[in-house]
Amino acid sequence: NALSGACGNVYGHHSIWSMNRNNENWPPEYVIMPWTAALERPGAQDVKVFSALQQTHPVLKCTPCPNVVADNREGANFIAGCGCRQYALFYIPNGLRFRLHMDRLFRYSEAHWFDVRSGAHLPVSAPSPEGEFVPPSSGRNHDWLLILSLDS
């Protein structure tokens, strides 16, 4: 996960990395279309959205902060977070409600949700006194990113 310290982002479509033109020299289970068509697949669009986020909130400026998420989950529902002096980012899989240890963060002046599917920004309603946040939608493929602008 890019928020947990991974470096670099790769879109791993077989048809792209093989630079396949017409299924030449590759077994059909690996390459299903020309590489130019694979550039329009949903995963390629995700990379564009993440790239746009990187323009305003570069992840490489951040340090992973797994101890800020209270009662984190394991596996596919793990909430990854990272932060720097200007902002903190938290990736919320499946739109799950979650709590942050607010005392482990700098005070924040602004918060918004980033829709990882479209790149849209939505306002955040205030968290509960316990630091609970509730994403705008939940369920499979309803991942969100919480962006906190921090007071320095």
Side-chain angles (χ1 to χ4, degrees):
N1 184 306
L3 302 186
S4 297
C7 188
N9 301 291
V10 175
Y11 171 54
H13 198 292
H14 290 297
S15 295
I16 292 176
W17 62 255
S18 68
M19 299 304 286
N20 174 57
R21 284 182 277 191
N22 293 311
N23 294 345
E24 66 230 13
N25 303 321
W26 295 95
E29 63 270 14
Y30 289 115
V31 291
I32 58 174
M33 63 187 60
W35 72 270
T36 52
L39 288 173
E40 300 304 319
R41 301 290 292 173
Q45 302 310 309
D46 293 345
V47 172
K48 290 178 185 177
V49 170
F50 186 71
S51 177
L53 173 70
Q54 289 293 329
Q55 300 302 310
T56 57
H57 297 86
V59 171
L60 291 178
K61 286 179 62 175
C62 298
T63 302
C65 54
N67 62 337
V68 175
V69 179
D71 307 320
N72 208 340
R73 298 162 177 91
E74 294 183 6
N77 288 324
F78 179 79
I79 297 171
C82 68
C84 62
R85 290 214 175 261
Q86 291 83 28
Y87 51 87
L89 308 171
F90 296 92
Y91 188 85
I92 319 305
N94 299 313
L96 300 168
R97 62 180 53 229
F98 65 100
R99 277 187 328 110
L100 295 178
H101 292 292
M102 301 306 284
D103 57 328
R104 297 181 186 173
L105 283 170
F106 291 106
R107 291 175 39 137
Y108 70 92
S109 55
E110 184 181 336
H112 61 272
W113 295 108
F114 179 79
D115 185 338
V116 299
R117 297 166 303 284
S118 69
H121 293 263
L122 299 172
V124 170
S125 57
S128 72
E130 298 81 31
E132 183 177 67
F133 289 86
V134 181
S137 65
S138 64
R140 186 166 171 78
N141 296 321
H142 285 259
D143 298 359
W144 291 90
L145 190 76
L146 174 65
I147 301 175
L148 301 177
S149 298
L150 304 176
D151 293 337
S152 39

